[in-house]
Amino acid sequence: MLSNQLGAGGVPQVIYNVCEHLHDSDIDVRIGYLGGNDESVERLRGLGYTVERIGDGFPEIEQPISLYRAIADYDPDIVHTHMAPASMLGRPIGSLVGAAVVSTVHNIYTEHSGFAKLMDYPTSHLCDAVVLVSNAVRDSLPPTYGIGAEKAVIHNCIDAEAVRQQGEVPLDDLPWGDRIRGGGSVVANVARFSKKKGQHDLVAALPDIVDRFPGSKLVMTGWGPMKAELETQATRLGVRENVVFLEKVENPYAVYYHADVIAFPSRFEGFSIGLLEAMAFGRPIVTTDIAPFVEALGEDYPTVSVGEPSELADRIVAFLSAPERAARRGERLRTRVDGRFSGDVAARKHADLYRRLAATRR
């Protein structure tokens, strides 16, 4: 299994959750990464896996040779790549050593940068199978992507019980607990700040929420240059004192645990790990109506239009106004994530794919 990096983000989380549940199977896994962020390396090694760093980051002149040696020495049945740089290098090397090649596409393809597509598309025809993290990602692929490859939708996954255990921390034990204490309703958004995540729409919705529920707080954990824009927007709208910026917190799951409503106003996603983690806490969730969110929440779950702050406000107010009904909605989401999007489910689907492809190589 080869990735560009093994940080704390969505792709390394999926790799970890799948590998955790492959650990006791008949499938042996070795993991490689091209350098860069390595926050997940020790966790993976803690599961008993060999994790090899191949260079100090992409691109490096000697990286293709080092990667070839690492793969050839291991002599795998399957080479499974994640992210464009790893795919660009791993696919031809996997084919060269006679392995079946699998690649996962994690995000909506039409939203990939031109440079990422240039790295990814030309070698897609070397894939024996392409894993898509959602039906929406599958539908975004160009018709000529991975011609002849099996296309398999295997949704992103989480370890819901571990997420809950980590998040269920009393406010008194959290360094930021006093900042959200005070009796008002808490609306939470856990995501990096970016235009695609739609935090501007959430701030624009806040005046209507505060008007109906005075003292409400919008708690956001994002970071980056866009924070200044959001602060300016909140000040202009007269709700700066109602916005709590927690920056990058050590335990974002605790933000979900202490929220009354969780909001994801994204413009597009692949299949949000953050949304799955929020579902694990049984809280009512407000999202936009983009296809990956509908896929995660279920067709009958209410959503709002993209880029419509007034709809966001109305849906959040509706949940805050009817807490018992909101709690029932949240509990159904908890049941859904436990049953459909666990690491065990994803690992079994990956294992079936690997065995099927390996059998064709024997």
Side-chain angles (χ1 to χ4, degrees):
M1 199 170 290
L2 181 68
S3 180
N4 186 38
Q5 48 84 15
L6 288 173
V11 174
Q13 282 189 59
V14 171
I15 291 173
Y16 178 86
N17 287 326
V18 169
C19 287
E20 182 181 27
H21 291 275
L22 285 174
H23 189 260
D24 295 327
S25 74
D26 60 339
I27 295 173
D28 181 56
V29 179
R30 185 171 295 185
I31 300 161
Y33 69 113
L34 303 182
N37 204 330
D38 61 359
E39 291 178 60
S40 292
V41 169
E42 289 308 312
R43 288 202 310 155
L44 287 161
R45 286 177 176 158
L47 294 174
Y49 290 114
T50 297
V51 182
E52 185 174 358
R53 183 184 181 115
I54 304 164
D56 293 320
F58 178 85
E60 291 179 338
I61 292 175
E62 295 183 0
Q63 221 160 30
I65 295 174
S66 299
L67 182 59
Y68 172 80
R69 288 173 178 162
I71 292 176
D73 287 347
Y74 182 47
D75 190 24
D77 296 297
I78 311 289
V79 171
H80 187 163
T81 68
H82 299 261
M83 308 172 76
S87 293
M88 184 178 74
L89 295 180
R91 288 167 180 165
I93 292 173
S95 297
L96 191 62
V97 301
V101 176
V102 180
S103 290
T104 295
V105 182
H106 290 269
N107 293 300
I108 299 295
Y109 200 78
T110 51
E111 300 297 337
H112 287 197
S113 70
F115 183 58
K117 290 177 182 176
L118 187 62
M119 286 191 288
D120 180 53
Y121 179 84
T123 58
S124 68
H125 68 282
L126 297 175
C127 293
D128 294 276
V130 178
V131 173
L132 301 316
V133 301
S134 69
N135 292 320
V137 170
R138 179 198 59 198
D139 295 343
S140 74
L141 288 181
T144 53
Y145 187 94
I147 291 177
E150 177 181 348
K151 305 296 196 306
V153 174
I154 304 178
H155 292 104
N156 282 342
C157 61
I158 64 168
D159 185 337
E161 189 55 38
V163 165
R164 282 192 286 267
Q165 290 178 5
Q166 190 173 338
E168 293 173 358
V169 179
L171 274 182
D172 290 342
D173 296 339
L174 295 166
W176 42 266
D178 286 341
R179 298 183 62 191
I180 69 171
R181 197 191 308 275
S185 300
V186 173
V187 179
N189 174 254
V190 176
R192 69 183 183 276
F193 290 145
S194 73
K195 296 292 185 183
K196 86 168 219 177
K197 297 294 185 181
Q199 285 101 342
H200 283 95
D201 295 328
L202 197 50
V203 173
L206 191 55
D208 288 343
I209 298 168
V210 172
D211 185 56
R212 291 286 306 276
F213 287 87
S216 294
K217 293 186 175 80
L218 171 58
V219 179
M220 295 194 287
T221 67
W223 63 95
M226 218 177 84
K227 177 188 172 186
E229 296 178 34
L230 295 170
E231 287 181 309
T232 299
Q233 181 188 14
T235 300
R236 186 177 69 250
L237 294 174
V239 291
R240 179 61 187 88
E241 65 181 19
N242 299 91
V243 182
V244 179
F245 292 96
L246 294 182
E247 305 295 339
K248 188 175 183 179
V249 298
E250 184 177 341
N251 184 1
Y253 306 136
V255 180
Y256 294 139
Y257 179 63
H258 289 286
D260 296 294
V261 176
I262 302 167
F264 291 92
S266 299
R267 306 298 177 98
F268 64 89
E269 296 278 355
F271 198 72
S272 171
I273 293 288
L275 176 59
L276 299 182
E277 291 167 343
M279 290 167 66
F281 288 94
R283 302 294 187 263
I285 297 175
V286 176
T287 76
T288 46
D289 59 359
I290 60 176
F293 284 168
V294 174
E295 204 169 325
L297 298 170
E299 293 284 346
D300 61 342
Y301 192 87
T303 56
V304 303
S305 304
V306 171
E308 294 292 340
S310 61
E311 290 188 31
L312 272 173
D314 288 345
R315 181 62 59 190
I316 291 169
V317 165
F319 279 143
L320 294 176
S321 301
E324 290 185 3
R325 183 174 62 185
R328 288 194 297 271
R329 286 279 190 187
E331 191 55 38
R332 284 198 288 270
L333 294 181
R334 174 175 169 143
T335 300
R336 184 176 175 85
V337 78
D338 286 347
R340 291 175 178 249
F341 306 119
S342 70
D344 179 58
V345 170
R348 279 189 274 111
K349 291 181 178 180
H350 277 94
D352 289 345
L353 176 64
Y354 295 156
R355 293 188 187 103
R356 192 162 61 250
L357 291 174
T360 66
R361 296 280 157 168
R362 295 187 184 123

